[in-house]
DNA sequence: TTCAATAGTTCACTATTACTGAACTATTGA
DNA sequence: TCAATAGTTCAGTAATAGTGAACTATTGAA
């Protein structure tokens, strides 16, 4: 079984967060997660039909390792939430600012 | 003679700006440019002794192509300014937010 | 004019990173 | 036990970053 890598709050870096959000698909995933407000499976959270599963999995890994999302296993699927509190504590207003622009 | 590529204001993308700022060295360059308030040569603007000239040149190219800085030739050196007005018009508060965090 | 110095760019090479199909793991339900 | 589902890992290829060396352009001096 796979154990997910989640950096602690202090280990979240600005460069890591920016790099993670610098991909349009990942930006959309985070927006989608926040709009929903609740946990979502990878498939639900990804507004990208036709994308390879492995690519999607990779995007979630990048978001996870940057500290942007928390992934937990629930049954056969993985539930994801944005680590809003951690990001806001570390980089106030960053998320809100970046995610606030129209597509 | 080399003509620099500067995207027009409308062509500046969020992904491009974030990707450009996702590198610690480039973030420091932009901070350094803004702190100075004035045009700076590449060498002046780069707080990175010992870095290869070609690497530095590449960082400036990335910043330029992302629309973050404007480069103009002045004598033997290139003068760089942050395109604050353009970035602020396109993505309000983004620069201030990202550059506001301590190193 | 010619030559050296200076500031950056471009090139070529290597090293790291991203995308994808295929194979694999883990869980659920029949 | 078997099939279906969700996602990860692997292996291969494609794209991108870092660097020294060679190149271009400008200035200033002999």
């Amino acid at each position: 079984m796979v154990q997910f890598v989640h950096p602690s709050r202090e280990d979240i870096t600005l460069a890591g967060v920016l790099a993670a959000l610098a991909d349009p698909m990942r930006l959309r995933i985070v927006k989608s997660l926040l709009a929903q407000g609740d946990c979502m499976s990878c498939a639900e959270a990804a507004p990208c039909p036709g994308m390879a599963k492995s690519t999607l999995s990779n995007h979630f890994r990048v978001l996870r390792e940057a500290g942007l999302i928390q992934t937990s296993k629930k049954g056969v699927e993985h539930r994801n939430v944005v680590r809003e509190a951690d990001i806001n504590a570390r980089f106030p207003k960053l998320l809100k600012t970046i995610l606030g622009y129209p597509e």
Side-chain angles (χ1 to χ4, degrees), chain A:
Chain A
M1 152 64 186
V2 184
Q3 197 46 53
F4 298 121
V5 179
H6 288 106
S8 64
R9 177 180 287 190
E10 315 84 64
D11 289 339
I12 297 176
T13 67
L14 181 58
V17 170
L18 294 182
L21 294 179
D23 181 282
M25 183 52 57
R26 289 196 290 265
L27 195 63
R28 287 169 63 191
I29 290 174
V30 173
K31 277 189 180 181
S32 164
L33 280 170
L34 277 179
Q36 191 67 14
D38 200 15
C39 286
M40 294 174 85
S41 72
C42 295
E44 281 174 333
C48 42
M51 169 167 284
K53 272 199 309 180
S54 49
T55 307
L56 204 52
S57 175
N58 211 43
H59 283 319
F60 278 92
R61 182 183 56 76
V62 171
L63 289 171
R64 201 158 48 224
E65 293 180 355
L68 273 161
I69 64 172
Q70 171 125 31
T71 307
S72 54
K73 192 142 191 179
K74 200 162 199 176
V76 73
E77 60 188 20
H78 295 177
R79 309 299 292 182
N80 300 282
V81 228
V82 178
R83 294 173 62 181
E84 271 192 279
D86 287 328
I87 304 290
N88 288 339
R90 198 83 178 71
F91 305 110
K93 298 190 185 172
L94 182 63
L95 258 191
K96 196 177 167 188
T97 302
I98 292 182
L99 300 177
Y101 306 114
E103 199 67 12

